Amino acid sequence: GYHFEEPWTLVARYEFIDDSYKTIANDRATVGVAYQPFNFLRLQFNISYEDGYNSIKGYKNIGANLMVSAIF
């Protein structure tokens, strides 16, 4: 993550999985932004793209999620 302005953080992640038996391979890239207006509240939005195959077929997925964290 990178803090470019006080309540905002830019996040990015890349994952690669490839086993030696060639039964699964997976590439996943995620980018997102986190907003923390107070010390006890955090909102994070991510978009992920996944490209891979398993022993049966290949697949491509795009997903988005929103996470809300609060401390009471």
Side-chain angles (χ1 to χ4, degrees):
Y2 176 74
H3 298 282
F4 60 90
E5 197 169 311
E6 182 55 37
W8 296 94
T9 303
L10 182 64
V11 293
R13 179 174 73 179
Y14 176 76
E15 297 177 37
F16 175 76
I17 300 170
D18 191 9
D19 70 352
S20 60
Y21 298 109
K22 301 295 182 195
T23 58
I24 188 170
N26 188 351
D27 287 310
R28 181 183 301 158
T30 303
V31 293
V33 64
Y35 177 65
Q36 188 170 1
F38 311 106
N39 287 338
F40 60 87
L41 178 64
R42 180 179 174 179
L43 305 169
Q44 183 171 342
F45 179 73
N46 296 330
I47 296 176
S48 297
Y49 174 74
E50 184 175 10
D51 184 10
Y53 71 88
N54 56 27
S55 59
I56 300 170
K57 64 177 183 171
Y59 58 91
K60 296 182 188 297
N61 294 322
I62 296 176
N65 63 14
L66 175 64
M67 180 176 68
V68 179
S69 303
I71 300 171
F72 296 99

